[in-house]
Amino acid sequence: MDGLLTQTNFEEIVTRATGQLVSVRHDVSGSFVTTSSMFPSGGSVVVWIKRDPPYFLVSDFGFSYQECAIMGADKRQFARRAEPVAETAGIKLTADGTFEVMVTEAQLPGAIKAVAACSQEVAIKFAHRIFQRQRADIGELVFDKLEKIFGEQSVAKDFDFLGASQSHWHIDVVVKRGDQVSLFDTVTPWAQSVAFTLAKFGDIRLLDNPPPRTAVLASKTGYGSWLTALAQNGSILQAAANDDAYSMAAHIQ
């Protein structure tokens, strides 16, 4: 009976787990609230709160702009995406690219959610644009290389593949020769991109006779521990690899 989970234990476990989703760090300038929301880089969305009696200034401390700047955005590009988001949410966007709003104590929970949502939304929009373009470029390179190796009749783009769960997965490039099939999916250093490929490959891996699966990256920088997760569900290949590396990854005679 020692392993029996009681209702009380269950509630304590859930309470502890949810408590870890949000944390607060206080210093002389104010309080930094680490939320459960995530930026495309995989980092948490953080909101800063400053006491300004009788109000509270709630701000994203410019973290969304910093996230976009790392991806290559300048202030004009950031503002073009951030201004409509801020306007819709009733949040101010400052000249230095910070989301902020002044609220009362009663409005504080809603303001934290609103600022965090704005901060995350703009970063995701910019990342989506950047990584979709990068993904398309990598996909073309992969297709051209595989077509050169295996021939035009054996290679196809945008292939629909059925996984073990009977889910239909979109695969960027597939090589088919007789009964042999090999799958290649392009992955960018964006949490959503990695998660989607992991979902595809994880489901396909559960088939009785799963085909070889290769995640193709522009480079191995920027992925961190995601590389380990990808390697557990398939092979990893850099897009600029030579023909021999592509042939080995495909496992097609």
Side-chain angles (χ1 to χ4, degrees), residues 138 141-142 145 214-221 236-242 245-246:
I138 297 171
L141 177 60
V142 173
K145 277 183 172 286
T214 303
V216 185
L217 325 176
S219 73
K220 291 186 178 180
T221 59
I236 296 177
L237 188 67
Q238 294 194 77
N242 59 34
Y246 273 90

Side-chain angles (χ1 to χ4, degrees), residues 8-215:
T8 301
N9 289 337
F10 172 77
E11 291 172 355
E12 290 175 353
I13 290 169
V14 173
T15 299
R16 284 197 301 270
T18 53
Q20 293 171 12
L21 295 176
V22 178
S23 63
V24 181
R25 177 174 64 83
H26 305 285
D27 65 23
V28 293
S29 70
S31 299
F32 290 88
V33 179
T34 301
T35 73
S36 59
S37 300
M38 294 180 66
F39 283 128
S41 65
S44 296
V45 176
V46 176
V47 173
W48 179 65
I49 304 171
K50 177 184 177 183
R51 188 79 168 95
D52 191 5
Y55 301 106
F56 295 85
L57 177 66
V58 182
S59 159
D60 83 329
F61 216 68
F63 290 134
S64 182
Y65 171 63
Q66 292 176 32
E67 180 86 2
C68 292
I70 291 171
M71 293 184 282
D74 58 28
K75 284 195 175 178
R76 178 184 57 81
Q77 292 171 320
F78 177 79
R80 189 167 67 244
R81 291 167 178 78
E83 286 171 354
V85 172
E87 184 178 352
T88 299
I91 301 293
K92 177 184 177 182
L93 180 69
T94 67
D96 64 356
T98 297
F99 290 104
E100 67 177 34
V101 64
M102 193 77 74
V103 296
T104 64
E105 181 178 351
Q107 297 170 321
L108 198 53
I112 294 172
K113 292 178 183 178
V115 169
C118 290
S119 190
Q120 180 192 45
E121 181 179 348
V122 176
I124 286 177
K125 283 183 174 181
F126 192 79
H128 181 74
R129 173 179 172 271
I130 293 295
F131 291 135
Q132 282 296 97
R133 186 171 61 197
Q134 184 187 89
R135 189 167 180 264
D137 291 343
I138 297 171
E140 283 298 323
L141 177 60
V142 173
F143 179 79
D144 291 344
K145 277 183 172 286
L146 291 171
E147 190 177 52
K148 183 178 72 172
I149 297 168
F150 296 101
E152 183 179 347
Q153 300 302 316
S154 299
V155 183
K157 294 179 182 178
D158 303 325
F159 192 80
D160 182 83
F161 195 87
L162 193 64
S165 68
Q166 299 301 301
S167 297
H168 290 265
W169 298 107
H170 171 92
I171 304 297
D172 291 327
V173 185
V174 62
V175 180
K176 295 185 69 178
R177 179 171 287 176
D179 294 334
Q180 300 179 87
V181 179
S182 187
L183 312 178
F184 290 80
D185 211 46
T186 57
V187 187
T188 57
W190 182 24
Q192 286 87 341
S193 175
V194 175
F196 195 32
T197 295
L198 286 175
K200 298 179 194 181
F201 284 4
D203 187 31
I204 294 169
R205 183 170 61 89
L206 297 177
L207 292 168
D208 290 338
N209 294 294
R213 303 161 306 284
T214 303

